């Protein structure tokens, strides 16, 4: 559930009367006879009583009201009051029980925040202008977000976002929840909060490109959700027709967001089709894709053909993030293992830009990816299946059969496609030099200088030991010499 207590314990004798004051204010909040405001909350017009003088002291929406106005709450309507009765303020977009807790906080400064209602409370704090409560709600989400409650937060945030008058401010939290669940998908889909997701929240989640699951596992998670919603516990082969109908009813509108064309043919035949949830035209399309994949690949804009990005292939990278996350899969395809996860060995901005720091962390480690970011956002690097390491000589070349260089984003042409440059002169694949960072090729095709963030001594002399179509000294970083903003070295987990 996750709770957050916003209350104060007073030990100073000068504040000894505060606990009793808070009790008196709590009693005042419950005193309908003296109230001069009545909020009619939600579709049921749940009455919640309050005192305008307290609201003016605590809520900016009352403090900023002009002469003749009661308040300035977006989406509210104020009706004329019968003499001697509280002024009615209608708030149709909030929930009565949550608003009652909000009013109690306004009077006493005490609240217990629940995961399922924190975004409703956040919206109330924003719309009525109670800054310290808004901050407490944001802190609750940030500090308690976990695999166990991320889906609960997502559902709550989406519910608030869909309300016309009080949904602003939650969009960033929706995106944060989707990103968190995406990165921790294998843990999140096993939780009860995932199984209890409303259908619209599930669709929002599985529509994301950043969901760290293979498509077969996306399907299995969706099927588990539908079975839970339908109250079905038996395997597909043992369903009754009634159970099948209930599961398919829940899957309706969801199946189209699973990228069925990417599911393994055997899994599709053994696990997907037997549910009866996939329309015939989609099944036929799936088999046509299996038979003629190249024809389908011409439809590059079709989202169903685009693999999801696993955010954990290069965990810890500060370069392959945001819009560059998709390059993680590309690097794995060049490596030859699409599901490989990598471990961060070295980051210059963390461990130091000196050659000594690079060799201290990276010598003897193989295979490795070196990923370099330039000062204008360029991204390039190299792969080596052999390690850097000392010998009796100060510097020496090391042979490799598989080394290559690559560019992901070029400084001169950021619209150009990522390109791989294979080793041509294998005896000169990499070079060890204790006074330099990573060196690829004689020449050198890619040279990272000592303290490369404070000089322009890094350079690329491609093509020399490496080559490829249109290879030039400008191919990697856009210029012969360049400044390095940061660079990282990764090695495979489990190697």
């Amino acid at each position: 559930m996750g709770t957050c207590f916003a209350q104060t314990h007073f030990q100073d004798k000068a504040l000894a009367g505060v606990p009793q004051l808070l009790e008196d204010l709590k009693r005042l909040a419950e005193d309908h006879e003296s109230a001069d405001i009545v909020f009619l909350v939600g579709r049921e017009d749940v009455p919640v009583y309050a005192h305008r003088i307290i609201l003016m002291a605590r809520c900016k929406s009352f403090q900023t009201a002009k002469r003749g106005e009661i308040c300035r709450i977006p989406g509210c309507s104020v009706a004329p009051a019968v003499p001697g009765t509280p002024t009615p303020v209608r708030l149709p977009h909030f929930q009565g029980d949550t608003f009652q807790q909000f009013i109690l906080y306004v009077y006493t400064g005490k609240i217990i925040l629940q995961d399922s209602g924190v975004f409703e409370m956040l919206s109330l704090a924003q719309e009525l202008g109670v800054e310290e409560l808004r901050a407490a709600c944001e802190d609750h989400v940030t500090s308690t977000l976990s695999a166990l409650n991320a889906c609960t937060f997502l559902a709550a945030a989406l519910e608030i976002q869909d309300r016309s008058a009080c949904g602003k401010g939650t969009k960033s939290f929706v995106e944060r929840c989707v990103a968190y669940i995406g990165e921790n998908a294998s843990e999140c889909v096993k939780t009860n909060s995932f199984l209890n997701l409303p259908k619209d929240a599930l669709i929002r989640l599985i529509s994301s490109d950043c969901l760290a699951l293979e498509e077969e596992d996306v399907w299995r998670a969706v099927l588990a959700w539908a079975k839970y919603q339908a109250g079905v516990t038996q395997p597909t082969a043992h369903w009754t027709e009634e159970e099948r109908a209930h599961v398919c009813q829940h899957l309706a509108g969801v199946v189209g967001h699973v990228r069925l064309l990417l599911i393994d043919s055997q899994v599709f035949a053994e696990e997907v089709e037997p549910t009866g949830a996939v329309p015939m035209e989609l099944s036929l399309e799936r088999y046509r894709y299996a038979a003629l994949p190249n024809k389908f690949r011409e439809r590059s804009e079709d989202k169903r053909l685009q693999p999801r990005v696993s955010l954990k292939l290069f965990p810890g990278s500060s370069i392959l993030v945001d819009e560059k996350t998709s390059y993680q899969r590309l690097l794995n395809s060049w490596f030859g293992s699409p599901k490989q996860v990598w471990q961060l060995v070295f980051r210059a901005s963390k461990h130091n830009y000196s050659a000594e720091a690079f060799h201290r962390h990276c010598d003897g480690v193989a295979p490795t990816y070196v990923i370099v970011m330039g000062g204008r956002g360029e991204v390039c690097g190299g792969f080596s299946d052999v390690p850097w390491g000392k010998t009796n000589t100060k510097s020496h070349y090391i042979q490799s059969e598989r080394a290559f260089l690559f560019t992901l984003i070029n400084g001169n042409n950021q619209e150009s496609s990522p390109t791989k440059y294979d080793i041509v002169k294998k005896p000169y694949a990499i070079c060890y030099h204790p006074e330099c960072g990573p060196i690829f090729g004689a020449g050198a095709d890619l040279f990272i200088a000592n303290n490369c963030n404070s000089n322009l001594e890094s350079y690329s002399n491609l093509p020399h030991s490496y080559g490829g179509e249109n290879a030039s000294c400008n191919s990697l970083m856009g210029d012969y010499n360049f400044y390095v903003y940061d660079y990282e070295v990764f090695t495979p987990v489990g190697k």
Side-chain angles (χ1 to χ4, degrees):
M1 288 291 291
T3 57
C4 174
F5 297 89
Q7 52 186 317
T8 307
H9 299 279
F10 299 99
Q11 297 179 350
D12 191 333
K13 291 183 179 181
L15 302 175
V18 171
Q20 185 59 51
L21 172 63
L22 296 179
E23 284 298 316
D24 292 341
L25 286 170
K26 181 177 181 293
R27 219 168 13 254
L28 180 64
E30 298 166 352
D31 183 3
H32 300 174
E33 295 298 322
S34 61
D36 53 3
I37 297 279
V38 57
F39 294 100
L40 302 174
V41 187
R43 295 179 180 178
E44 295 79 20
D45 283 347
V46 176
V48 180
Y49 293 86
H51 302 78
R52 188 178 180 188
I53 189 80
I54 300 290
L55 298 171
M56 290 179 66
R58 298 278 282 146
C59 305
K60 288 184 180 178
S61 60
F62 281 81
Q63 296 166 4
T64 57
K66 296 180 180 179
R67 185 185 295 266
E69 292 182 328
I70 296 294
C71 62
R72 310 199 82 182
I73 305 172
C76 81
S77 59
V78 181
V82 176
T85 64
T87 300
V89 179
R90 183 166 276 103
L91 296 173
H93 300 293
F94 293 112
Q95 303 293 329
D97 54 348
T98 306
F99 193 81
Q100 184 69 63
Q101 295 173 37
F102 170 80
I103 289 296
L104 193 59
Y105 175 84
V106 168
Y107 278 72
T108 67
K110 295 181 179 181
I111 197 166
I112 299 176
L113 294 174
Q114 302 291 339
D115 291 349
S116 58
V118 66
F119 290 106
E120 171 100 8
M121 194 64 70
L122 173 65
S123 292
L124 279 167
Q126 287 177 328
E127 301 297 348
L128 276 81
V130 183
E131 176 59 25
E132 75 276 10
L133 179 56
R134 182 201 62 78
C137 292
E138 290 189 356
D139 179 69
H140 175 81
V141 175
T142 301
S143 62
T144 65
L145 184 62
S146 69
L148 291 175
N149 64 15
C151 291
T152 300
F153 280 145
L154 174 63
L158 281 170
E159 181 187 358
I160 299 301
Q161 189 181 58
D162 289 342
R163 298 185 197 171
S164 59
C166 60
K168 69 179 184 179
T170 60
K171 182 179 180 181
S172 64
F173 284 101
V174 170
E175 293 171 352
R176 188 185 304 180
C177 290
V178 170
Y180 182 90
I181 296 168
E183 188 170 356
N184 300 277
S186 60
E187 295 90 358
C188 290
V189 299
K190 298 173 184 176
T191 64
N192 285 332
S193 62
F194 173 81
L195 296 175
N196 282 289
L197 278 174
K199 181 179 284 191
D200 64 327
L202 177 70
I203 290 173
R204 174 69 176 82
L205 182 59
I206 66 172
S207 298
S208 171
D209 289 329
C210 297
L211 195 60
L213 291 174
E214 296 299 321
E215 207 60 33
E216 293 83 0
D217 292 323
V218 174
W219 164 257
R220 290 168 183 139
V222 167
L223 180 60
W225 171 87
K227 288 175 62 178
Y228 181 84
Q229 296 287 320
V232 174
T233 58
Q234 294 295 319
T236 307
H238 297 139
W239 289 352
T240 65
E241 286 305 311
E242 183 180 4
E243 288 175 330
R244 187 180 308 278
H246 286 159
V247 173
C248 290
Q249 181 181 5
H250 287 286
L251 286 173
V254 177
V255 171
H257 298 275
V258 180
R259 301 178 188 184
L260 297 174
L261 300 183
L262 300 180
I263 291 180
D264 176 79
S265 295
Q266 183 175 351
V267 173
F268 187 82
E270 295 178 357
E271 298 183 30
V272 181
E273 272 199 313
T275 64
V278 181
M280 179 62 71
E281 60 271 19
L282 281 182
S283 289
L284 292 175
E285 189 176 28
R286 171 66 187 77
Y287 287 114
R288 285 197 298 270
Y289 173 72
L292 300 167
N294 292 332
K295 183 176 181 180
F296 278 76
R297 289 192 183 106
E298 296 172 1
R299 295 151 50 178
S300 58
E301 299 302 316
D302 192 337
K303 196 169 185 177
R304 297 173 303 163
L305 299 173
Q306 299 172 8
R308 301 177 195 270
V309 176
S310 172
L311 300 180
K312 285 195 169 183
L313 295 178
F314 287 77
S317 177
S318 61
I319 297 176
L320 301 179
V321 294
D322 300 328
E323 71 280 359
K324 295 186 285 293
T325 304
S326 59
Y327 295 131
Q328 296 183 14
R329 280 189 180 271
L330 178 61
L331 293 182
N332 261 0
S333 70
W334 286 341
F335 176 66
S337 178
K339 299 181 182 180
Q340 180 62 56
V341 177
W342 297 75
Q343 176 183 349
L344 181 66
V345 176
F346 172 81
R347 180 188 295 127
S349 60
K350 176 182 178 181
H351 298 109
N352 200 290
Y353 288 85
S354 68
E356 184 275 331
F358 165 73
H359 287 290
R360 176 160 32 91
H361 287 87
C362 302
D363 282 1
V365 178
T368 53
Y369 257 123
V370 177
I371 304 169
V372 185
M373 174 176 276
R376 297 175 298 178
E378 313 95 323
V379 180
C380 73
F383 169 81
S384 174
D385 58 329
V386 294
W388 284 272
K390 295 180 181 179
T391 63
N392 294 331
T393 59
K394 182 175 181 180
S395 64
H396 61 278
Y397 290 103
I398 304 169
Q399 180 169 328
S400 167
E401 298 292 324
R402 295 184 54 205
F404 58 84
L405 297 177
F406 61 86
T407 176
L408 301 178
I409 301 174
N410 184 278
N412 287 338
N413 183 10
Q414 298 206 3
E415 298 300 320
S416 62
S417 299
T419 305
K420 176 170 170 272
Y421 303 98
D422 290 316
I423 183 69
V424 176
K425 300 176 181 178
K426 296 179 180 179
Y428 306 101
I430 64 172
C431 177
Y432 172 84
H433 195 297
E435 297 174 4
C436 308
I439 304 171
F440 288 83
D445 297 73
L446 178 61
F447 177 94
I448 304 300
N450 181 42
N451 297 322
C452 54
N453 66 321
S454 58
N455 58 58
L456 289 173
E457 295 175 10
S458 299
Y459 66 88
S460 172
N461 196 32
L462 183 72
H464 192 283
S465 302
Y466 295 79
E469 187 177 356
N470 299 321
S472 75
C473 61
N474 297 324
S475 295
L476 297 186
M477 281 294 203
D479 289 307
Y480 182 86
N481 290 98
F482 53 87
Y483 157 85
V484 174
Y485 176 77
D486 202 359
Y487 74 98
E488 301 171 334
V489 180
F490 285 86
T491 193
V493 172
K495 295 291 184 179

